[in-house]
Amino acid sequence: MAIAGINNICVVGAGNMGHQIALCCAIAGYKVKCTDISREILTKADEFVNTYLPQRVAKGKMAEEAAQQARANIFFTRDLEEAAVDADVVIEAVLEKLDLKLKLFDQLDKICPEHTILATNSSFIVSSKIAPATKRPEKVCNMHFFNPALVMKLVEVVNGPHTADEVAQKIFDLAKDIGKIPVMLQKEIYGFLVNRILAAINHEAMHIYDMGVASYEDIDKAVVHALGHPMGPFRLMDLTGIDLSYYIGMERYRETGDPTHKPSPIIVEKYVKKEWGQKTGKGFYDYPPK
Ligand code: CAA
């Protein structure tokens, strides 16, 4: 651990992304407090850590001592103030709703010490929309991880127009220090790098499906076995969450008024039925409980 001034990290949101981001930081040696308003999500996150670390040891991917240290480095709490009060960096990973993030950043600004950097893991909300909720816009930026965060190496860091260069650089260095491969975006752009590319693939995959040309299973097969992606777009939506695909589509449609950004009917149907993918046990595919 070698980033000057960063010892304590607070991760807000212990869901799909948050608990794994927190664990990445804990494994790298940082003291991490991970918080969520849901007791159930926190319990699940804690159980995940208790299962994941011994599995890494059993697989020979981590020394017993390192696993014990990582476990000792991570602490879960429902109390936002307790989690953030001594944080040097906060990484926010809550639901993709701007009003929620504005409220949270306002609270964090009041709780955290003056020097604390407030980063958001948002997939598509640029930090210039969130920074005005704080009195420290120069210390706010995007730090975007990919799912599953323990596995995927890339982190997109966005140096927003309000962000101080040294703040973006510190977050870039932090990403490197926790074993990630960061890229620095010098402009805020909708969807950053990866989600722009992914959206183009998803849009076309969905269009082909809606036209009745092929099943989603076959579209996934095509992408895996011809393009070499580890999973096809439908299975990937199950992994990242169909609720997220719905929110992103709706938010983009609201912003642009362009009906091609509206979520496709099958996404709306699955959203309403709570078939959100792996997290609810059913999406395009079924995920029986382990
Ligand atoms: N959490 C933690 N680790 C996991 C995991 C999970 N959910 N799923 C798999 N892994 C780990 C396994 O432990 C295993 O680790 P080791 O090799 O070190 O033992 C490794 O990943 C491979 O796992 P498996 O052999 O079980 O499965 P796989 O080879 O099929 O890989 C996968 C699973 C890593 C998810 C792979 O299919 C993959 O890379 N898929 C693409 C994921 C992707 O594109 N992510 C980006 C999504 S876009 C996004 O996140 C942006 C956004 O804003 C929405």
Side-chain angles (χ1 to χ4, degrees):
M1 191 171 56
I3 310 298
I6 305 182
N7 298 303
N8 300 332
I9 295 178
C10 165
V11 178
V12 186
N16 241 4
M17 295 301 293
H19 73 283
Q20 292 214 4
I21 294 171
L23 189 50
C24 288
C25 299
I27 291 171
Y30 292 91
K31 294 284 175 208
V32 184
K33 292 190 223 160
C34 181
T35 182
D36 200 292
I37 51 166
S38 160
R39 215 180 286 279
E40 192 192 336
I41 288 177
L42 282 176
T43 305
K44 256 187 167 169
D46 199 37
E47 281 167 1
F48 175 82
V49 173
N50 287 337
T51 314
Y52 178 81
L53 291 171
Q55 270 176 4
R56 300 306 284 166
V57 175
K59 276 187 179 177
K61 305 252 170 166
M62 192 184 272
E64 174 70 41
E65 202 178 291
Q68 280 176 12
Q69 188 55 57
R71 178 62 268 193
N73 284 347
I74 191 166
F75 170 71
F76 293 97
T77 174
R78 277 187 77 215
D79 185 337
L80 180 67
E81 183 153 2
E82 182 185 22
V85 72
D86 56 356
D88 301 307
V89 172
V90 176
I91 305 171
E92 167 272 312
V94 303
L95 280 180
E96 292 286 34
K97 294 183 175 171
L98 180 59
D99 48 351
L100 178 65
K101 290 183 195 281
L102 288 171
K103 201 172 146 212
L104 178 64
F105 273 68
D106 171 50
Q107 284 174 286
L108 289 168
D109 192 39
K110 289 173 179 140
I111 296 170
C112 294
E114 225 172 275
H115 72 274
T116 309
I117 297 174
L118 305 178
T120 173
N121 176 55
S122 179
S123 304
F124 69 98
I125 300 175
V126 290
S127 77
S128 60
K129 288 194 175 169
I130 305 173
T134 74
K135 294 194 176 68
R136 60 179 94 194
E138 75 289 353
K139 295 195 184 82
V140 179
C141 70
N142 288 85
M143 181 186 199
H144 183 218
F145 292 78
F146 294 84
N147 193 337
L150 281 158
V151 181
M152 307 313 288
K153 288 282 186 197
L154 194 81
V155 172
E156 294 170 321
V157 179
V158 187
N159 191 3
H162 53 283
T163 311
D165 287 350
E166 59 273 23
V167 167
Q169 187 60 46
K170 216 167 197 182
I171 291 299
F172 186 92
D173 293 344
L174 172 64
K176 250 191 188 167
D177 199 48
I178 61 171
K180 298 301 183 192
I181 299 173
V183 287
M184 180 75 87
L185 278 72
Q186 296 295 354
K187 278 185 181 169
E188 286 191 333
I189 178 172
Y190 181 85
F192 312 134
L193 305 182
V194 175
N195 277 343
R196 286 184 85 87
I197 297 167
L198 201 55
I201 294 173
N202 284 357
H203 185 267
E204 202 48 39
M206 211 48 95
H207 184 52
I208 295 167
Y209 174 75
D210 286 342
M211 286 196 301
V213 174
S215 66
Y216 52 79
E217 290 94 335
D218 280 355
I219 298 169
D220 275 355
K221 273 185 204 156
V223 171
V224 170
H225 298 294
L227 300 180
H229 293 200
M231 46 176 58
F234 292 94
R235 200 174 277 285
L236 186 55
M237 273 185 269
D238 275 2
L239 174 73
T240 55
I242 289 168
D243 53 333
L244 183 66
S245 303
Y246 174 82
Y247 293 139
I248 291 179
M250 286 308 288
E251 205 52 47
R252 190 72 176 136
Y253 171 56
R254 256 183 232 121
E255 252 182 37
T256 62
D258 178 349
T260 63
H261 288 135
K262 263 192 195 170
S264 131
I266 183 80
I267 294 292
V268 177
E269 184 188 320
K270 290 197 170 293
Y271 177 75
V272 171
K273 285 186 179 165
K274 259 203 156 193
E275 291 178 1
W276 295 353
Q278 286 189 12
K279 66 173 93 167
T280 58
K282 187 171 174 57
F284 288 100
Y285 300 86
D286 290 335
Y287 303 90
K290 282 186 189 133

